[in-house]
Amino acid sequence: MGSWSPCYDVGGDAFDYAVNGDTAHLALLDAVGHGSGGGMRAVMLASLALAAYRNARRCGFDLVETYHHIDSAVRDHDRRGLITGVLAELDQRIGRLRVLSAGHPGGLVLRHSRIATVLPTPTTLPVALGDRHPPVVVEEALEPGDDVLFYTDGIIEARSADGERFGTERLVDFTVRALADGLPLPETARHLVHAILAYQDDRLQDDATVLMVRFLEPRTGRA
């Protein structure tokens, strides 16, 4: 796994990952708000959501239960707060990826330096609106060597001096080229965020966070 997120101003991006047994757990959260005013609120909401996520993971909740747990914690604190995010689990025995996208980009599955799948988005409403629509979990079967890329909107919405968005196409092109060069996932993520900074003339307009995971091979023959 690899991730990197520079912050020169307060914002609401947060991520977490852990491996319990054969399951890799991932979460990427983006609380609405940026800058000295709304940014502090976003930081508090993201911190609360992250704590609720970790609590749910340690309690053994599934993705739907985890989403509701985070949603309840945020609404109890701030009913007007809003957080998009993606929650995922990877079964490393068989390569089964399960993803819940709460108003957030669903992510990309890359295979042999090509896009294999654009994960569906959204599959439910952002956190704090969880009582309005039942969440849906999507599943994707990964092959050995597949890479999964999750990202916040600060990546694709980065703008050049001429106002042109970085966009999903550039994101995919850059990531595919970096992976084809054999860079480790942490370096791929680091180079991607540097590319975002360069695209904006080193003026970060929003937090840019990347979370990547690779399915190496099925885990077999284990007790």
Side-chain angles (χ1 to χ4, degrees):
M1 299 180 190
S3 57
W4 196 64
S5 177
C7 293
Y8 304 103
D9 201 351
V10 289
D13 282 13
F15 65 88
D16 189 66
Y17 59 84
V19 177
N20 294 323
D22 290 310
T23 303
H25 305 265
L26 306 98
L28 185 57
L29 305 168
D30 185 1
V32 174
H34 192 78
S36 58
M40 283 307 301
R41 182 186 185 193
V43 168
M44 294 177 64
L45 287 174
S47 298
L48 175 61
L50 194 61
Y53 169 74
R54 290 171 173 167
N55 177 255
R57 189 187 68 224
R58 290 164 183 158
C59 289
F61 291 174
D62 63 23
L63 289 181
V64 171
E65 292 170 329
T66 297
Y67 167 76
H68 283 306
H69 187 67
I70 298 171
D71 184 80
S72 295
V74 171
R75 280 192 290 120
D76 286 347
H77 173 74
D78 185 346
R79 287 188 172 273
R80 295 190 300 168
L82 198 66
I83 303 174
T84 68
V86 59
L87 308 176
E89 294 176 348
L90 174 60
D91 187 332
Q92 299 178 94
R93 297 170 302 172
I94 58 176
R96 183 183 66 183
L97 178 70
R98 305 179 75 244
V99 178
L100 186 156
S101 169
H104 196 86
L108 306 170
V109 177
L110 304 172
R111 178 177 300 148
H112 305 308
S113 299
R114 297 176 181 271
I115 293 181
T117 305
V118 177
L119 296 169
T121 181
T123 64
T124 192
L125 296 174
V127 168
L129 300 175
D131 57 339
R132 302 186 184 185
H133 193 277
V136 175
V137 175
V138 298
E139 294 190 2
E140 181 72 18
L142 301 185
E143 297 181 5
D146 281 358
D147 295 300
V148 184
L149 170 66
F150 297 114
Y151 55 92
T152 57
D153 58 8
I155 296 285
I156 59 174
E157 293 181 2
R159 293 186 181 274
S160 67
D162 297 330
E164 185 176 356
R165 294 173 74 250
F166 190 79
T168 305
E169 187 175 339
R170 283 190 179 88
L171 168 64
V172 171
D173 180 66
F174 179 92
T175 306
V176 165
R177 285 189 285 110
L179 292 172
D181 289 341
L183 292 178
L185 294 191
E187 283 303 305
T188 298
R190 184 186 301 274
H191 282 229
L192 174 56
V193 177
H194 276 300
I196 296 296
L197 284 169
Y199 191 74
Q200 300 177 103
D201 294 328
D202 289 331
R203 294 190 300 270
L204 196 64
Q205 300 163 14
D206 193 3
D207 293 345
T209 306
V210 179
L211 189 58
M212 301 184 70
V213 62
R214 175 173 294 164
F215 175 51
L216 296 175
E217 60 184 13
R219 294 186 177 184
T220 58
R222 299 185 58 173

